[in-house]
Amino acid sequence: MRLRALLDTDALGLRLLGGEDELDRGVRGVMTTDLRDPSRYLSGGELVLTGLAWRRDADDSEPFVRILVQAGVAALAAGEAELGDVPEDLVTACARHRLPLFAVHESVAFATITEHVVRQVSGERAGDLAAVVDRHRRMMTSGPAGGGPDVVLDLLGSDLDLRAWVLSPTGRLIAGPKVAGPALPAELCAKLAAEHLAATRGGRRGPHRLPAGGTTYSLFPIRSSGRSPQTGRDVRETVLSDWLLAVEADAGDWADERLDLLHGVTQLIAVERDRRDAARTVRRRLAQEVLELVQTGAPPAEIAARLRVAAPVLLPGLGAAPHWQIVVARVEWDGDEIESGPVAQSLLEEVLVDPVATGPEPSDRIAVAHTGDEAIALVPLPAVSAEHDGSESGVLADQLLAAVREPLSAGLDGDGRLTLGVSAAVHSAEGLRGALEEARHARRVAAARTGRVCAAGHQELASHVLLLPFVPDDVRRAFTARLLDPLRDYDRRHRAELIPTLEAFLECDGSWTRCASRLHLHVNTLRYRVGRIEQLTGRDLSRLEDKLDFFLALRMS
């Protein structure tokens, strides 16, 4: 119960003397004492009742109050029967230590207050303790192995009257209660995910609470095994991949037992999360094998054979060979060297799921590999749906961006970026190399834009980019010579390292600070070199078109 509730009960005869700002403290018990040092009998959270027999003079109040505060008591109530008014030195000491102080009218017995508090607290605790014991037993036997998060959420709803949902970091609804009640709107899911990510990035201690539409939601992180913040890992390594549990209640009013229960629930759901991650191992390996063949220039027949193995795994029961799309993602953080490839991989597996779909099935149809800081997704599309009306099908960059921009921007706020590139659908192994190049170039286009989360699709690329893998060698040589030969000649004469500077500048997506840090240069030195590049080539590296031309020239050289 809360201290505020004591003042609302007239029969207790309590008068507040100080600590009005602390009235939301919870009361876990009650103790009557006149000992000068009652600390060995205190466990924290008590309302301490005293007749002030311990006080001989004004100097006794400060040490007595200090002992109570160190023991973590909720408040002190002093009786007026012995001394009349509560001494001013006690009022001052309580104010100094922010300990709420009540005066108990001489007509009210301490036993009356004790009985009231014990009755209220015991009722709350009995319900919560019974729930903890029984729910933990049932959840451990029927949780992940017997229905996944839905079973756990149903138990919360039926036995504790708590509606709760499991959400992804993008706000996708992974699991929810089956009991009657309004569905959680997609906009609210995105808002809850954004609040959770922002609070986590801000280092705020959970559970996080968010009022929305007249209802307060409490947000609990669901961290996979080994992802506790106490492990010393940078929060940025996991913030974009951890699930969260959203509960339709204000956890600020809960007793510790109920909070413990909810933390237990998140641990059970984390087991299910780990199980699903493990189930993706085969798909990740398939993606890695296919992409290695594509990037090393393997014969199309060999790639096609590997795709025939992947198709039944990703789209079981599909008769015809599917079309394929490539999606490339990169997560970058300013300044620090953080291994973001696994985070980009996990995040891309999530972002490619239809945001209105529930459950794990859609994510089981995506194979994602990662190399360095880049994640590459191999997305299968049933051939019939890709061809049935000639319209745009599969993953669309603008729809992808709209679904994830709000929550992920909150998780990246301040020092991170997510950029995505989407290829067109291809129908054969021969087209995969071009699709991979296309998705990578589209991601570069997205990286040239402003914003924490950016995406670009194949529709936004020029025709020469689409045909890049098939450009004849003599055309490649002519194109690269026009752009790069002036820089190479200058480097030979002056050892100015303009070519390495250009490569680093483009790799850093035009960021002066990141590029200067990578090259161990002062920013002014970097600006001088870029200016020399522009002067020698007649190009402007602040223009997207010129950046792309330089990038293509370097790739083809």
Side-chain angles (χ1 to χ4, degrees):
M1 66 177 298
R2 302 291 168 183
L3 288 174
R4 193 179 304 279
L6 295 174
L7 290 176
D8 295 336
T9 307
D10 294 336
L12 300 182
L14 295 178
R15 181 166 48 89
L16 184 65
L17 299 181
E20 184 176 356
D21 294 337
E22 306 292 328
L23 290 180
D24 285 328
R25 291 186 183 186
V27 180
R28 301 179 58 187
V30 62
M31 176 191 177
T32 300
T33 184
D34 278 312
L35 295 174
R36 296 171 66 85
D37 181 4
S39 58
R40 60 183 175 274
Y41 302 112
L42 297 169
S43 59
E46 297 93 343
L47 170 66
V48 173
L49 305 175
T50 180
L52 300 176
W54 50 266
R55 181 184 178 278
R56 297 187 178 91
D57 56 47
D59 291 336
D60 292 335
S61 292
E62 173 67 21
F64 181 80
V65 171
R66 190 185 313 117
I67 289 170
L68 298 186
V69 170
Q70 290 173 349
V73 305
L76 174 66
E80 295 177 325
E82 186 70 25
L83 301 179
D85 293 336
V86 175
E88 190 61 31
D89 48 88
L90 181 59
V91 176
T92 301
C94 288
R96 181 181 301 116
H97 291 280
R98 301 181 63 84
L99 180 67
L101 175 63
F102 298 94
V104 183
H105 194 270
E106 61 181 3
S107 63
V108 178
F110 282 177
T112 302
I113 299 174
T114 300
E115 181 182 354
H116 176 83
V117 172
V118 168
R119 186 169 58 250
Q120 295 297 317
V121 172
S122 297
E124 293 175 0
R125 185 172 295 170
D128 280 329
L129 284 174
V132 170
V133 174
D134 192 45
R135 296 299 73 77
H136 270 298
R137 177 184 61 80
R138 291 169 59 186
M139 288 177 185
M140 291 303 295
T141 57
S142 62
D150 299 287
V151 171
V152 180
L153 300 183
D154 286 344
L155 286 173
L156 287 176
S158 61
D159 297 317
L160 294 183
D161 197 27
L162 290 176
R163 298 181 74 224
W165 300 263
V166 178
L167 303 177
S168 77
T170 65
R172 182 175 70 91
L173 183 62
I174 294 170
K178 297 178 182 178
V179 296
L184 206 61
E187 297 80 7
L188 179 56
C189 289
K191 186 175 181 180
L192 294 173
E195 170 63 21
H196 171 73
L197 290 174
T200 302
R201 284 301 314 279
R204 304 207 309 265
R205 187 176 179 181
H208 315 302
R209 290 177 285 167
L210 176 68
T215 302
T216 297
Y217 295 87
S218 297
L219 312 177
F220 295 80
I222 299 172
R223 296 188 175 95
S224 296
S225 301
R227 290 185 177 178
S228 169
Q230 282 73 33
T231 60
R233 296 182 63 184
D234 194 311
V235 68
R236 291 174 293 183
E237 295 183 45
T238 58
V239 67
L240 300 180
S241 56
D242 286 335
W243 290 354
L244 67 136
L245 179 69
V247 183
E248 191 181 63
D250 188 347
D253 294 331
W254 290 356
D256 290 342
E257 290 84 0
R258 180 160 290 202
L259 286 171
D260 290 342
L261 171 63
L262 265 293
H263 287 304
V265 168
T266 64
Q267 292 169 4
L268 289 170
I269 298 174
V271 173
E272 174 67 10
R273 170 67 190 273
D274 291 341
R275 185 187 67 80
R276 294 187 186 183
D277 278 347
R280 289 174 172 167
T281 303
V282 173
R283 296 188 296 280
R284 289 173 173 174
R285 188 171 65 247
L286 286 171
Q288 196 73 48
E289 291 173 354
V290 170
L291 291 168
E292 285 177 1
L293 292 173
V294 171
Q295 294 183 101
T296 56
E302 187 177 351
I303 300 175
R306 181 55 57 188
L307 287 176
R308 284 194 293 272
V309 173
V313 176
L314 299 175
L315 289 176
L318 185 67
H323 285 50
W324 301 93
Q325 269 185 293
I326 300 287
V327 181
V328 173
R330 190 165 184 169
V331 175
E332 296 174 288
W333 305 99
D334 291 342
D336 297 329
E337 292 294 329
I338 297 175
E339 185 184 5
S340 55
V343 176
Q345 179 183 46
S346 178
L347 182 59
L348 194 51
E349 286 171 333
E350 175 55 44
V351 225
L352 290 175
V353 179
D354 184 347
V356 300
T358 58
E361 293 79 7
S363 61
D364 289 341
R365 297 177 179 177
I366 299 161
V368 184
H370 78 84
T371 56
D373 290 338
E374 182 183 66
I376 305 169
L378 189 63
V379 182
L381 305 173
V384 61
S385 68
E387 295 178 336
H388 76 285
D389 61 1
S391 61
E392 194 69 37
S393 61
V395 179
L396 302 178
D398 54 348
Q399 294 180 3
L400 200 62
L401 184 61
V404 302
R405 178 190 280 140
E406 179 187 353
L408 294 186
S409 293
L412 293 160
D413 186 33
D415 59 354
R417 289 197 79 200
L418 167 67
T419 49
L420 300 155
V422 182
S423 79
V426 296
H427 67 279
S428 65
E430 289 85 352
L432 275 182
R433 183 184 172 207
L436 178 57
E437 292 292 331
E438 185 177 276
R440 280 176 165 160
H441 292 315
R443 193 204 67 78
R444 290 277 177 186
V445 172
R449 296 170 176 165
T450 59
R452 291 293 169 188
V453 182
C454 298
H458 63 94
Q459 309 94 327
E460 301 175 63
L461 302 182
S463 59
H464 66 281
V465 178
L466 302 180
L467 300 176
L468 177 62
F470 310 105
V471 173
D473 289 343
D474 55 339
V475 177
R476 287 172 179 255
R477 283 192 294 270
F479 181 74
T480 57
R482 281 198 307 271
L483 281 175
L484 301 184
D485 280 0
L487 306 181
R488 289 172 177 147
D489 292 340
Y490 192 90
D491 280 348
R492 277 193 295 268
R493 294 195 307 269
H494 303 283
R495 297 182 180 179
E497 297 186 334
L498 296 185
I499 291 290
T501 299
L502 176 61
E503 290 175 334
F505 188 76
L506 295 175
E507 281 293 324
C508 293
D509 298 324
S511 169
W512 296 99
T513 55
R514 291 209 308 273
C515 184
S517 176
R518 177 180 294 189
L519 295 175
H520 305 290
L521 297 174
H522 191 278
V523 172
N524 289 341
T525 304
L526 175 62
R527 291 186 184 277
Y528 173 83
R529 288 188 183 181
V530 170
R532 179 65 67 184
I533 292 170
E534 294 174 334
Q535 183 184 29
L536 292 170
T537 60
R539 299 299 187 105
D540 182 356
L541 276 169
S542 67
R543 297 178 68 246
L544 175 59
E545 293 82 355
D546 290 341
K547 283 182 182 177
L548 285 174
D549 282 346
F550 276 123
F551 173 76
L552 295 174
L554 289 168
R555 290 297 296 271
M556 291 191 293
S557 62

